Tab-separated table of all heavy atoms in Angstrom:
chain	number	residue	atom	x	y	z
C	227	THR	N	-22.123	17.339	-9.648
C	227	THR	CA	-21.965	18.755	-9.339
C	227	THR	C	-22.453	18.960	-7.908
C	227	THR	O	-23.079	18.083	-7.332
C	227	THR	CB	-22.808	19.650	-10.271
C	227	THR	OG1	-24.164	19.565	-9.842
C	227	THR	CG2	-22.704	19.209	-11.695
C	228	LEU	N	-22.157	20.114	-7.373
C	228	LEU	CA	-22.594	20.415	-6.013
C	228	LEU	C	-24.026	20.927	-6.071
C	228	LEU	O	-24.334	21.863	-6.788
C	228	LEU	CB	-21.667	21.478	-5.427
C	228	LEU	CG	-21.518	21.485	-3.920
C	228	LEU	CD1	-20.960	20.165	-3.441
C	228	LEU	CD2	-20.597	22.613	-3.514
C	229	HIS	N	-24.920	20.275	-5.300
C	229	HIS	CA	-26.326	20.635	-5.390
C	229	HIS	C	-26.793	21.534	-4.276
C	229	HIS	O	-27.806	22.196	-4.375
C	229	HIS	CB	-27.180	19.371	-5.385
C	229	HIS	CG	-27.117	18.656	-6.685
C	229	HIS	ND1	-28.087	18.749	-7.640
C	229	HIS	CD2	-26.159	17.865	-7.200
C	229	HIS	CE1	-27.754	18.032	-8.697
C	229	HIS	NE2	-26.584	17.476	-8.448
C	230	TYR	N	-26.085	21.472	-3.171
C	230	TYR	CA	-26.640	22.120	-1.994
C	230	TYR	C	-25.543	22.215	-0.962
C	230	TYR	O	-24.745	21.306	-0.822
C	230	TYR	CB	-27.780	21.232	-1.471
C	230	TYR	CG	-28.401	21.702	-0.174
C	230	TYR	CD1	-29.401	22.645	-0.174
C	230	TYR	CD2	-27.973	21.174	1.031
C	230	TYR	CE1	-29.972	23.062	1.017
C	230	TYR	CE2	-28.538	21.577	2.223
C	230	TYR	CZ	-29.538	22.523	2.206
C	230	TYR	OH	-30.095	22.936	3.368
C	238	THR	N	-34.192	18.982	2.512
C	238	THR	CA	-35.552	18.499	2.282
C	238	THR	C	-35.510	17.242	1.430
C	238	THR	O	-34.534	16.999	0.729
C	238	THR	CB	-36.373	19.559	1.533
C	238	THR	OG1	-35.723	19.781	0.284
C	238	THR	CG2	-36.458	20.855	2.326
C	240	HIS	N	-36.835	16.878	-1.131
C	240	HIS	CA	-36.690	17.325	-2.505
C	240	HIS	C	-35.221	17.435	-2.921
C	240	HIS	O	-34.825	16.981	-3.988
C	240	HIS	CB	-37.371	18.679	-2.660
C	240	HIS	CG	-37.333	19.172	-4.060
C	240	HIS	ND1	-38.215	18.732	-5.004
C	240	HIS	CD2	-36.464	20.008	-4.683
C	240	HIS	CE1	-37.913	19.299	-6.151
C	240	HIS	NE2	-36.857	20.078	-5.992
C	241	VAL	N	-34.427	18.029	-2.045
C	241	VAL	CA	-33.005	18.165	-2.343
C	241	VAL	C	-32.361	16.783	-2.451
C	241	VAL	O	-31.560	16.505	-3.340
C	241	VAL	CB	-32.291	18.993	-1.250
C	241	VAL	CG1	-30.788	19.002	-1.485
C	241	VAL	CG2	-32.836	20.411	-1.241
C	244	GLU	N	-33.049	15.236	-5.631
C	244	GLU	CA	-32.231	15.799	-6.693
C	244	GLU	C	-30.844	15.155	-6.695
C	244	GLU	O	-30.278	14.824	-7.730
C	244	GLU	CB	-32.127	17.315	-6.495
C	244	GLU	CG	-31.189	18.029	-7.428
C	244	GLU	CD	-31.635	17.933	-8.885
C	244	GLU	OE1	-32.841	17.669	-9.141
C	244	GLU	OE2	-30.786	18.098	-9.757
C	245	VAL	N	-30.295	14.969	-5.487
C	245	VAL	CA	-28.948	14.432	-5.377
C	245	VAL	C	-28.906	12.951	-5.706
C	245	VAL	O	-28.047	12.478	-6.433
C	245	VAL	CB	-28.392	14.687	-3.953
C	245	VAL	CG1	-27.059	13.975	-3.770
C	245	VAL	CG2	-28.210	16.175	-3.732
C	263	ARG	N	-39.989	12.865	-10.813
C	263	ARG	CA	-40.460	14.225	-11.015
C	263	ARG	C	-39.403	15.245	-10.595
C	263	ARG	O	-39.188	16.246	-11.260
C	263	ARG	CB	-41.737	14.472	-10.187
C	263	ARG	CG	-42.919	13.637	-10.599
C	263	ARG	CD	-43.338	13.896	-12.015
C	263	ARG	NE	-43.664	15.306	-12.250
C	263	ARG	CZ	-44.016	15.767	-13.444
C	263	ARG	NH1	-44.071	14.945	-14.480
C	263	ARG	NH2	-44.302	17.035	-13.587
C	264	ALA	N	-38.772	14.952	-9.480
C	264	ALA	CA	-37.820	15.917	-8.939
C	264	ALA	C	-36.692	16.200	-9.920
C	264	ALA	O	-36.313	17.342	-10.138
C	264	ALA	CB	-37.240	15.399	-7.624
C	265	SER	N	-36.188	15.145	-10.539
C	265	SER	CA	-35.071	15.347	-11.448
C	265	SER	C	-35.520	16.133	-12.678
C	265	SER	O	-34.737	16.827	-13.298
C	265	SER	CB	-34.493	13.998	-11.872
C	265	SER	OG	-35.424	13.312	-12.668
C	266	GLU	N	-36.764	16.013	-12.981
C	266	GLU	CA	-37.284	16.713	-14.142
C	266	GLU	C	-37.447	18.206	-13.850
C	266	GLU	O	-37.236	19.042	-14.703
C	266	GLU	CB	-38.653	16.133	-14.461
C	266	GLU	CG	-38.985	16.077	-15.929
C	266	GLU	CD	-40.329	15.410	-16.082
C	266	GLU	OE1	-41.323	16.086	-15.812
C	266	GLU	OE2	-40.367	14.220	-16.419
C	267	CYS	N	-37.833	18.483	-12.612
C	267	CYS	CA	-38.257	19.835	-12.303
C	267	CYS	C	-37.181	20.689	-11.661
C	267	CYS	O	-37.440	21.817	-11.281
C	267	CYS	CB	-39.470	19.809	-11.365
C	267	CYS	SG	-40.801	18.833	-12.033
C	268	GLY	N	-36.009	20.144	-11.483
C	268	GLY	CA	-34.951	20.944	-10.877
C	268	GLY	C	-35.324	21.369	-9.469
C	268	GLY	O	-35.770	20.550	-8.673
C	269	HIS	N	-35.173	22.642	-9.175
C	269	HIS	CA	-35.362	23.095	-7.803
C	269	HIS	C	-36.757	23.578	-7.509
C	269	HIS	O	-37.004	24.151	-6.463
C	269	HIS	CB	-34.344	24.209	-7.488
C	269	HIS	CG	-32.962	23.680	-7.376
C	269	HIS	ND1	-32.506	23.098	-6.229
C	269	HIS	CD2	-31.968	23.606	-8.283
C	269	HIS	CE1	-31.256	22.696	-6.423
C	269	HIS	NE2	-30.911	23.001	-7.661
C	270	ASP	N	-37.660	23.408	-8.422
C	270	ASP	CA	-39.021	23.885	-8.215
C	270	ASP	C	-39.766	22.935	-7.277
C	270	ASP	O	-40.106	21.820	-7.624
C	270	ASP	CB	-39.750	23.953	-9.574
C	270	ASP	CG	-41.079	24.645	-9.436
C	270	ASP	OD1	-41.554	24.756	-8.286
C	270	ASP	OD2	-41.623	25.072	-10.461
C	271	HIS	N	-40.016	23.403	-6.065
C	271	HIS	CA	-40.603	22.540	-5.041
C	271	HIS	C	-42.023	22.111	-5.361
C	271	HIS	O	-42.386	20.969	-5.146
C	271	HIS	CB	-40.604	23.249	-3.679
C	271	HIS	CG	-39.255	23.265	-3.053
C	271	HIS	ND1	-38.986	22.613	-1.886
C	271	HIS	CD2	-38.103	23.827	-3.466
C	271	HIS	CE1	-37.706	22.788	-1.590
C	271	HIS	NE2	-37.162	23.522	-2.527
C	272	SER	N	-42.827	23.019	-5.857
C	272	SER	CA	-44.256	22.755	-5.974
C	272	SER	C	-44.544	21.530	-6.837
C	272	SER	O	-45.383	20.712	-6.509
C	272	SER	CB	-44.972	23.975	-6.568
C	272	SER	OG	-44.419	24.247	-7.846
C	273	HIS	N	-43.775	21.377	-7.885
C	273	HIS	CA	-44.005	20.223	-8.751
C	273	HIS	C	-43.621	18.933	-8.054
C	273	HIS	O	-44.285	17.923	-8.181
C	273	HIS	CB	-43.198	20.353	-10.039
C	273	HIS	CG	-43.821	21.306	-10.999
C	273	HIS	ND1	-43.713	22.667	-10.842
C	273	HIS	CD2	-44.553	21.098	-12.097
C	273	HIS	CE1	-44.354	23.262	-11.820
C	273	HIS	NE2	-44.889	22.328	-12.598
C	274	GLY	N	-42.539	19.018	-7.321
C	274	GLY	CA	-42.042	17.824	-6.651
C	274	GLY	C	-43.065	17.234	-5.701
C	274	GLY	O	-43.167	16.030	-5.539
C	293	LYS	N	-27.703	15.606	-16.355
C	293	LYS	CA	-28.614	16.381	-15.537
C	293	LYS	C	-29.529	17.276	-16.377
C	293	LYS	O	-30.714	17.372	-16.160
C	293	LYS	CB	-27.805	17.235	-14.562
C	293	LYS	CG	-28.672	17.937	-13.546
C	293	LYS	CD	-27.911	19.074	-12.916
C	293	LYS	CE	-28.857	19.931	-12.103
C	293	LYS	NZ	-28.349	21.283	-11.980
Side-chain angles (χ1 to χ4, degrees):
Chain C
T227 76
L228 207 60
H229 285 260
Y230 175 85
T238 61
H240 183 81
V241 174
E244 174 64 21
V245 173
R263 296 299 303 178
S265 68
E266 215 177 76
C267 305
H269 289 278
D270 189 343
H271 284 245
S272 59
H273 283 78
K293 188 198 169 205

